[in-house]
Amino acid sequence: MDKTTVIPFPAGEAAEQPGRVYERIRDEIVSGRLGPNDRLKVAELAVRYGTSTNPIREALQQLRGEGFVIMEPNRGARVRPIDEEFVRDIVEIEVLIEPAMTRWFVSIAGDADIAALEAVQTEIEDLNFADPARHGALDTRFHQLIYDRHYNRHAAVLWWTHREILRAISRRFPTSLSRRTAVIREHRELIECIRAQDADGAARVVARHVEGSGRHIIEQMRAARRKDQVTPPLASKRED
C-alpha cells in the first residue's frame, strides 16, 4: 500500500486526536501494511491519514517510546521490524514485573477484590472466546484489577504499554485450543492463590501465564512466516 494513499477516519472520528492517529499507525505497523524498515515521513503520513503534521509527530514519539519506531539522527523515523525477538524482549521484562506486582497485590487483597476477579473470570468463561475483542477487554480487566492499584506507577504504566503492544500483535493470530484452556486454568489458579494469601504461588502462576502467552504469540508468528515463505511447486514450474 502506498504511504500517500489517504486512509480516512470513520465518520465522527476526529483525525486530529493524537491518540487516534497513534492507534492507526501502530495497527498498520503490526499488520505489516507499514513494513519493516519503511521510512516514516511526517508529511507523507499526514496526507495518508488526512491530518496535520503535529498529531503525526506526537504519535511517532509515542511509538518510538514503545519500540515500534526507530529514530536516527539526520535519517528520520523508520518502522522497527515486529518479529519474534521484539515479542521475546517484552515478555522477558513482563516476567520480571508482573510476579512482583502480583506479590504486592496478594498482601492487600480482600474479599471484595477476590469477588471482583471471580466476576470477571466468570464472564470470560461464559464468553468462551466467542468474541475475540470482548475476550481481550475482559482479560485486560482481570489483570487490571491486580495491577492498577500498585504503588509503583512506573511499573503499572509499563505493564499497560506492553499489554497493549502484545494485544495488538496477537489480534493477527487465532488463539489455539490449548492456549485457551491454559488461560482459564491459570486465571483460576491465580484466584485460588490470592484467596489463600499465597504470594509466592501467585507469582509463579503469573510468571507461567506471561511466558505461555509470549510463547504462543511467538509460535504463531513463526508459523505465519513459514507459511509466507512457502512457494507452491506448480507455480515454480510454470515460471521456468
Side-chain angles (χ1 to χ4, degrees):
M1 185 183 295
D2 193 312
K3 286 191 280 296
T4 60
T5 301
V6 177
I7 302 177
F9 280 76
E13 187 174 302
E16 290 295 314
Q17 293 180 1
R20 301 304 299 158
V21 174
Y22 151 78
E23 290 176 6
R24 296 295 293 275
I25 299 175
R26 184 198 65 188
D27 288 348
E28 290 212 80
I29 291 173
V30 170
S31 70
R33 289 192 294 271
L34 289 172
N37 296 310
D38 274 0
R39 292 292 172 188
L40 298 171
K41 298 180 180 179
V42 172
E44 288 183 359
L45 291 172
V47 173
R48 179 182 177 87
Y49 297 107
T51 184
S52 64
T53 57
N54 282 341
I56 300 296
R57 289 192 178 91
E58 292 182 33
L60 291 180
Q61 287 295 337
Q62 184 173 350
L63 290 164
R64 177 193 185 187
E66 294 177 357
F68 283 109
V69 168
I70 298 170
M71 291 188 179
E72 301 169 318
N74 303 318
R75 298 189 67 186
R78 62 184 173 87
V79 175
R80 185 205 190 282
I82 305 301
D83 52 20
E84 294 94 323
E85 288 73 23
F86 181 77
V87 173
R88 178 207 62 200
D89 292 349
I90 290 176
V91 171
E92 287 182 355
I93 294 170
E94 288 307 299
V95 167
L96 298 174
I97 291 175
E98 294 192 42
M101 295 175 75
T102 300
R103 279 194 180 93
W104 181 85
F105 179 77
V106 172
S107 72
I108 67 159
D111 291 342
D113 297 305
I114 295 169
L117 288 168
E118 289 272 13
V120 176
Q121 182 59 21
T122 297
E123 286 191 67
I124 289 173
E125 293 172 9
D126 288 345
L127 182 64
N128 195 27
F129 296 87
D131 180 342
R134 177 62 179 156
H135 171 82
L138 287 169
D139 190 66
T140 296
R141 178 60 183 153
F142 180 90
H143 292 284
Q144 278 182 305
L145 289 169
I146 298 172
Y147 303 139
D148 269 2
R149 287 160 55 194
H150 199 273
Y151 65 88
N152 188 328
R153 300 316 302 160
H154 293 290
V157 169
L158 185 57
W159 167 76
W160 174 257
T161 299
H162 286 168
R163 175 80 181 184
E164 287 296 284
I165 291 171
L166 294 177
R167 187 159 64 153
I169 294 171
S170 65
R171 280 203 300 265
R172 296 166 51 192
F173 310 111
T175 303
S176 68
L177 181 58
S178 61
R179 185 59 201 155
R180 294 180 184 187
T181 302
V183 167
I184 299 299
R185 182 182 66 249
E186 289 160 359
H187 279 196
R188 283 295 173 187
E189 289 177 2
L190 180 56
I191 292 172
E192 290 311 309
C193 285
I194 295 169
R195 194 193 313 277
Q197 297 185 318
D198 180 2
D200 290 339
R204 286 193 297 270
V205 172
V206 166
R208 179 162 29 99
H209 190 63
V210 173
E211 288 173 343
S213 175
R215 185 167 55 251
H216 182 264
I217 295 172
I218 289 170
E219 288 171 354
Q220 295 283 13
M221 293 175 78
R222 286 174 178 163
R225 181 161 46 81
R226 287 194 297 269
K227 183 178 179 180
D228 290 342
Q229 290 172 348
V230 171
T231 301
L234 292 178
S236 297
K237 290 180 180 179
R238 284 197 298 268
E239 290 172 2
D240 292 339

